[in-house]
Amino acid sequence: MSHPFIIVGASQAGVQVAESLRGEGYDGPLMLIGEEAHPPYQRPPLSKALLTGETTEDRLILRGPELLARKNIELVTGARAVAVDRQDRSVRLSDGRALPYRGLALTTGARARVLAIPGADLDGVVTLRTIEDSRRIAAGIANASAVAVVGGGFIGLEIAAAARKAGKPVIVFEALDRLLARSSAPFVSKFFLDLHGSHGVDVKLATQVTALAGNGRRVSGVVTGDGRTHAADLVVVGVGIVANSELAQDCGLACERGIIVDDCSRTEDPSIVAAGDCTARRMADGTLLRLESVQNAIEQGKSAAAALLGRARPFAAAPWFWSDQYDVRLQMAGLSAGHDRIVVRGATDERRFSVFYFRGERLLAVDSINRAPDHIAARKLLDAGKSLTPEQAADEGFALAGLLK
Ligand SMILES: Cc1cc2nc3c(=O)[nH]c(=O)nc-3n(C[C@H](O)[C@H](O)[C@H](O)COP(=O)(O)OP(=O)(O)OC[C@H]3O[C@@H](n4cnc5c(N)ncnc54)[C@H](O)[C@@H]3O)c2cc1C
């Protein structure tokens, strides 16, 4: 019998590789290996509906073991891959087993970045990546008298919204001078600052967190660069992620902020592909693009499966992402980096508008606030390589869908 395709990392990207291999017609042995105890599950609700109690853990499961078994995908949970031998073409697990592979997909994702400051290891200082983390934060919020969030990115702001929903006082500390600075224009940053302000969150911009104060082993406050201590008995750190690229690095594959892949999810080893949060994609202009999203995991997963079978199926779709905070859903399409102009369409005072990002006359990206139809149209426009003029974007009477005919 031939060796299996082995997929290391049983989450969004790993499941996609497995199912796409079946979709591409491969019917041989296939192993999906994950270190977590759970079957593959969705992470976005961990900072949203699961934290607010609007959903339950069982509804997060992406694919249960029975469903995978029906597709003849062997799911191994609670198993960590510790080394890849490229010469031998085998993966070693922490229990000592060496599994030979025909082809290997690395879908090891990422872990939360931790703070390197005094007090970062105190009880009550937490990050969010797994179901267990989300449980810990939900319990922490329920018991907290004051919640501090370090980092004004999506995860931090979603947790702040959940803590406010539970009625707890919340302070958000952001080192930069605006929220969501990595992904959005100042206009959108200001909208979210006002949104959180209107819900009673105390947002401290341009504020460096220098230490966490403790009362014995328990966190009691956040110390900022100006020497002040802000009381908090739950501190949630949301300062980005670190790609789990060590397996690749240790077996000699090129890594830089992630496992380097091309637009078909191929590494430099023809029998190894990688997909999802663990990767950095080499673009046509030589730059590296890191995306941390469900869509990226799915699209790269499809490319990776095709590549394992020797087929080139590049990931060409425009990136998209979403975030839920209070009654606001932000949906983003495209990449706004390099824009020189924004156009706002819709009613900002009703919290229902879209921000169109242009470089010259070319549309780069659209951020939609409670305007799903704009988001759908934007994705289709960007995927089709079509643009509209800034004047058309600003004109509410101009139908975006008309451009797609
Ligand atoms: C709180 C939160 C909210 C999010 N919200 C959104 C959102 O609103 N929209 C959006 O698009 N994206 C969101 N994301 C991002 C999205 O969830 C990720 O982009 C996606 O999960 C990436 O999937 P992945 O399979 O690449 O990696 P992961 O989901 O990180 O999975 C990797 C898996 O590999 C396992 N693993 C790692 N190393 C090994 C090893 N050596 N052996 C065995 N197993 C291993 C890990 O334990 C993990 O289970 C959110 C993420 C988080 C944490």
Side-chain angles (χ1 to χ4, degrees):
M1 196 167 124
S2 65
H3 293 323
F5 280 120
I6 293 185
I7 303 164
V8 177
S11 183
Q12 195 82 55
V15 164
Q16 190 62 53
V17 176
E19 294 194 331
S20 292
L21 276 168
R22 291 290 181 241
E24 294 272 347
Y26 170 73
D27 60 5
L30 186 46
M31 281 181 95
L32 179 57
I33 297 172
E35 67 181 335
E36 293 191 71
H38 313 278
Y41 62 90
Q42 308 167 57
R43 291 183 206 280
L46 299 180
S47 52
K48 306 178 181 71
L50 187 68
L51 212 48
T52 54
E54 287 155 298
T55 194
T56 48
E57 287 180 12
D58 53 315
R59 296 170 76 177
L60 267 48
I61 301 303
L62 269 172
R63 303 288 185 275
E66 304 78 27
L67 205 145
L68 291 170
R70 274 208 294 280
K71 296 183 177 179
N72 211 7
I73 297 167
E74 185 182 349
L75 174 67
V76 184
T77 52
R80 180 170 175 76
V82 291
V84 173
D85 187 330
R86 287 169 56 195
Q87 219 91 56
D88 255 22
R89 289 197 173 199
S90 67
V91 177
R92 190 152 48 79
L93 302 188
S94 50
D95 63 10
R97 268 188 295 168
L99 305 173
Y101 62 77
R102 160 189 176 158
L104 175 67
L106 297 174
T107 53
T108 47
R111 56 189 179 271
R113 188 182 293 283
V114 291
L115 291 175
I117 56 172
D121 58 348
L122 287 167
D123 293 342
V125 181
V126 288
T127 54
L128 176 52
R129 187 73 197 175
T130 63
I131 282 194
E132 288 75 13
D133 296 336
S134 187
R135 270 183 213 157
R136 208 171 296 128
I137 293 172
I141 289 174
N143 295 320
S145 358
V147 178
V149 174
V150 184
F154 291 113
I155 290 183
L157 293 180
E158 288 174 355
I159 294 167
R164 282 305 298 143
K165 197 166 176 220
K168 301 297 168 144
V170 180
I171 309 188
V172 173
F173 299 94
E174 168 54 54
L176 300 177
D177 60 3
R178 61 189 182 90
L179 299 173
L180 303 175
R182 246 185 350 134
S183 55
S184 295
F187 187 89
V188 176
S189 302
K190 173 79 169 60
F191 172 81
F192 279 96
L193 180 66
D194 293 345
L195 175 70
H196 281 272
S198 73
H199 283 272
V201 177
D202 182 3
V203 179
K204 307 247 181 255
L205 297 174
T207 303
Q208 203 76 38
V209 172
T210 53
L212 300 174
N215 185 358
R217 278 297 313 147
R218 178 91 210 165
V219 72
S220 59
V222 175
V223 184
T224 48
D226 55 7
R228 291 184 58 199
T229 300
H230 308 261
D233 48 2
L234 176 69
V235 177
V236 189
V237 178
V239 294
I241 61 173
V242 180
N244 292 326
S245 54
E246 289 80 0
L247 265 186
Q249 202 151 6
D250 292 350
C251 71
L253 294 174
C255 296
E256 193 181 323
R257 289 161 49 230
I259 306 168
I260 298 179
V261 293
D262 65 8
D263 58 355
C264 292
S265 303
R266 297 176 289 216
T267 68
E268 72 229 79
D269 183 326
S271 61
I272 305 182
V273 296
D277 280 16
C278 64
T279 66
R281 179 157 47 119
R282 182 74 72 195
M283 304 303 282
D285 64 1
T287 56
L288 286 173
L289 178 66
R290 265 198 56 76
L291 294 172
E292 299 153 18
S293 69
V294 167
Q295 178 221 16
N296 182 59
I298 291 173
E299 294 302 328
Q300 282 192 318
K302 291 178 190 169
S303 299
L308 283 173
L309 299 170
R311 301 167 196 159
R313 223 183 282 305
F315 169 17
W320 55 260
F321 187 82
W322 78 97
S323 176
D324 296 331
Q325 296 166 44
Y326 312 104
D327 54 353
V328 166
R329 167 159 283 200
L330 166 68
Q331 292 170 293
M332 310 170 77
L335 295 173
S336 60
H339 72 274
D340 53 23
R341 176 174 179 184
I342 65 162
V343 171
V344 180
R345 178 184 176 98
T348 49
D349 48 348
E350 290 170 20
R351 294 179 175 163
R352 203 176 290 282
F353 63 94
S354 292
V355 176
F356 288 67
Y357 297 81
F358 288 90
R359 183 175 181 81
E361 292 287 306
R362 191 162 67 85
L363 180 69
L364 295 183
V366 180
D367 290 353
S368 301
I369 307 280
N370 292 333
R371 297 248 309 194
D374 284 2
H375 174 70
I376 302 293
R379 271 166 54 180
K380 288 184 180 158
L381 281 175
L382 291 164
D383 282 349
K386 291 186 177 173
S387 193
L388 74 174
T389 65
E391 293 69 30
Q392 288 170 331
D395 177 6
E396 274 274 39
F398 180 81
L400 301 180
L403 288 166
L404 295 162
K405 285 177 186 149

